[in-house]
């Protein structure tokens, strides 16, 4: 499998997809902070958003962004994998499907981590240089968000690969991924209002516990879901569960799927 992982790393590093993705996100990160700084200079005291607090809050208040971007990386790297014959050729060389799937997840995770480091570096450095350092949301809130959502983002990445590999059309896979991460949790939440057992399950789904755990991030206060040891543990455990569930699902579904 190591040879397959090495070949995939070579393929990824010699294709434009991950570079374009990282460059676009880094560019948008810098542009956001630059625009906030520009409006702050133009309007002065009447524009309260040219602060590091407001900039950081865009990520701190929306942790599911990391899960979405994780899935996007997996989809970018492996969309069209069946149509262009890459998967069929790999299987033909005698590499088992389970090892191919594991290799894809490893390579996508490494790519996502590198991309995350670059984008966050641009985001944080540009905010520190361009914006006023004040407000309730600070750099610690953002930096502690990373370990809180990291395993959840990996689980989302794996599920993204599973969805586009398991279905004939990439668009179908993307829709299924969205249903799994955003629609099903809401269905469980509303059903859980009537059934306690379902509610307990629903509150382990990140879309629900980030939205209903008393998390408040705005211009006046910053209370995060991972701000306590219990909250951080719940984020990490949920991520581990997600990785296990989607990994096993990938092994089962892709083993039976015709090429």
């Amino acid at each position: 499998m190591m040879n397959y992982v090495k070949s995939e790393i070579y393929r990824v590093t010699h294709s434009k997809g991950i570079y374009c993705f990282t460059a676009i996100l880094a560019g948008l990160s810098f542009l956001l902070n630059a625009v906030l700084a520009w409006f702050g200079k133009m309007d002065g005291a009447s524009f309260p958003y040219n602060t590091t607090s407001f900039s950081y809050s865009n990520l701190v208040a929306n942790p599911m962004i990391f899960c979405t971007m994780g899935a996007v990386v997996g989809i970018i790297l492996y969309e069209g994998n069946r149509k262009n014959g890459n998967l069929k050729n790999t299987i033909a060389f005698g590499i088992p499907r389970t090892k191919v799937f594991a290799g894809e997840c490893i390579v996508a995770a490494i790519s996502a981590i590198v991309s995350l480091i670059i984008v966050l570096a641009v985001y944080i450095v540009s905010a520190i240089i361009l914006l006023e350092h004040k407000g309730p949301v600070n750099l610690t809130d953002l930096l502690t968000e990373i370990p809180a959502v990291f395993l959840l983002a990996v689980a989302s990445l794996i599920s993204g690969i599973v969805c586009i590999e398991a279905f004939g059309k990439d668009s179908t896979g993307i829709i299924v991924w969205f249903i799994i991460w955003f629609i099903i949790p809401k269905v469980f939440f509303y059903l859980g209002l009537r059934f306690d057992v379902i509610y307990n399950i629903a509150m382990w789904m990140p879309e629900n516990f980030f939205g209903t755990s008393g998390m408040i991030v705005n211009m006046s206060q910053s209370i995060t879901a991972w701000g306590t040891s219990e909250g951080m543990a719940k984020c990490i455990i949920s991520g581990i569960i997600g990785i296990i569930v989607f990994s096993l699902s990938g092994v089962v579904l892709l083993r039976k799927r015709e090429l």
Side-chain angles (χ1 to χ4, degrees):
M1 189 177 78
M2 285 304 300
N3 289 334
Y4 174 70
V5 170
K6 290 178 182 178
S7 67
E8 281 298 284
I9 291 175
Y10 179 86
R11 181 185 68 81
V12 169
T13 55
H14 285 75
S15 59
K16 297 179 180 179
I18 193 66
Y19 294 109
C20 292
F21 173 77
T22 303
I24 290 171
L25 287 187
L28 290 175
S29 299
F30 178 82
L31 182 62
L32 170 64
N33 291 326
V35 169
L36 293 176
W38 182 76
F39 275 110
K41 291 181 179 179
M42 292 288 292
D43 297 335
S46 63
F47 187 77
Y49 304 110
N50 59 325
T51 65
T52 54
S53 177
F54 178 77
S55 178
Y56 297 154
S57 69
N58 288 294
L59 293 179
V60 176
N62 300 286
M64 291 301 291
I65 288 177
F66 292 90
C67 295
T68 301
M69 292 301 103
V72 170
V73 170
I75 291 169
I76 286 174
L77 295 183
Y78 292 104
E79 58 90 16
N81 207 23
R82 292 179 179 275
K83 291 184 291 186
N84 59 26
N86 286 348
L87 185 59
K88 184 178 292 187
N89 292 336
T90 302
I91 300 299
F93 278 108
I95 303 176
R97 291 193 184 189
T98 53
K99 291 186 176 180
V100 171
F101 172 62
E104 290 176 347
C105 293
I106 291 171
V107 172
I110 293 172
S111 302
I113 291 170
V114 174
S115 180
L116 173 68
I117 292 171
I118 294 171
V119 173
L120 277 182
V122 172
Y123 197 100
I124 292 171
V125 171
S126 61
I128 291 173
I129 293 175
L130 299 174
L131 303 175
E132 296 181 19
H133 299 189
K134 63 180 183 180
V137 186
N138 55 47
L139 184 57
T140 301
D141 294 324
L142 177 56
L143 293 180
T144 53
E145 182 180 19
I146 306 306
V149 302
F150 177 75
L151 294 179
L152 289 168
V154 172
S156 178
L157 180 150
I158 294 172
S159 69
I161 294 175
V162 172
C163 288
I164 63 167
E165 293 280 21
F167 296 92
K169 294 181 179 180
D170 294 334
S171 57
T172 303
I174 293 170
I175 292 171
V176 172
W177 173 87
F178 182 82
I179 291 173
I180 290 171
W181 281 85
F182 293 97
I183 304 301
I184 291 178
K186 288 303 180 185
V187 172
F188 269 66
F189 177 77
Y190 288 115
L191 288 175
L193 297 178
R194 290 184 58 86
F195 306 101
D196 290 340
V197 174
I198 297 178
Y199 183 80
N200 292 332
I201 296 173
M203 292 312 296
W204 279 94
M205 299 176 176
E207 172 67 7
N208 291 330
F209 67 69
F210 282 137
T212 60
S213 61
M215 180 167 163
I216 305 172
V217 180
N218 52 39
M219 295 293 287
S220 58
Q221 59 183 321
S222 178
I223 302 173
T224 63
W226 53 89
T228 63
S229 57
E230 293 83 1
M232 177 65 79
K234 190 168 190 176
C235 293
I236 293 173
I237 293 171
S238 178
I240 293 172
I241 293 172
I243 289 173
I244 293 172
V245 169
F246 291 119
S247 296
L248 292 177
S249 299
V251 169
V252 172
L253 290 175
L254 301 182
R255 182 180 291 171
K256 297 180 179 180
R257 186 75 166 83
E258 292 296 330
L259 295 179

